[in-house]
Amino acid sequence: MSTHFHLRAVPPPALRNSVTWLERLFNDGWEAVRHRVDRRREEVLDERYLDQELLYACAPPQRGEGGPRSQVVLGGRPVYHPDRHKPPFLVLTAAQAHRVAGFLETTDFDTLWISARKDVLPRYGGMSTEPETRGAFAAAHRELTAFYAKTAEDGEAVVKWLPAC
């Protein structure tokens, strides 16, 4: 199973509720993914994605307040896979993606970090690793902010998935 969580921008008219269509959306080689990441059409989060959710939701995954804070990483309307062992796709409408972009653009990373650091740091080696850990989370925050800003600018929806290898 991959530990990379994918977020992909999709024009709303192209979006389908079909699991087959959604799987095809994520069925490309790494070079195609890298090209979309360079164009801010896709973002790929590493195995820290659950802790990044913690950073934005200020609570363990799926327990954050409603609204954009809990939609940044794991939020969205689920489209369940018929194979119950596979994770659902998560879909944000263009309007929801726009709200997430606004939240990220106006949120101070340092404030988020101060709220989450006591829960996050023990999983990455403790206080002695704070500069490196904080740096990795700050970089992911900048990348997510750029992805959602471009997505909102283009009026697109977002589909998220943790694809199997």
Side-chain angles (χ1 to χ4, degrees), residues 2-118:
S2 169
T3 57
H4 289 82
F5 194 75
H6 293 249
L7 297 84
R8 187 162 295 169
V10 178
L15 192 58
R16 301 289 177 269
N17 246 355
S18 157
V19 170
T20 303
W21 186 88
L22 291 166
E23 279 183 321
R24 270 197 315 263
L25 180 66
F26 289 93
N27 245 0
D28 330 292
W30 182 242
E31 284 306 314
V33 170
R34 188 182 334 251
H35 177 70
R36 280 191 305 274
V37 167
D38 288 344
R39 295 180 51 227
R40 298 285 177 218
R41 305 270 310 138
E42 182 163 355
E43 188 56 49
V44 179
L45 300 175
D46 65 14
E47 64 276 354
R48 293 183 193 100
Y49 70 91
L50 290 174
D51 289 323
Q52 288 161 334
E53 173 72 3
L54 180 74
L55 185 77
Y56 295 113
C58 297
Q62 303 292 355
R63 300 209 196 291
E65 298 172 21
R69 296 187 78 165
S70 61
Q71 294 177 354
V72 175
V73 179
L74 293 180
R77 178 182 49 81
V79 176
Y80 294 99
H81 199 284
D83 178 346
R84 65 182 180 89
H85 299 292
K86 291 188 178 183
F89 295 92
L90 300 172
V91 179
L92 290 179
T93 65
Q96 290 169 321
H98 188 269
R99 284 193 298 274
V100 171
F103 165 76
L104 289 171
E105 290 172 347
T106 59
T107 297
D108 176 55
F109 174 78
D110 289 327
T111 301
L112 294 173
W113 180 251
I114 288 167
S115 293
R117 68 190 284 278
K118 72 179 178 351

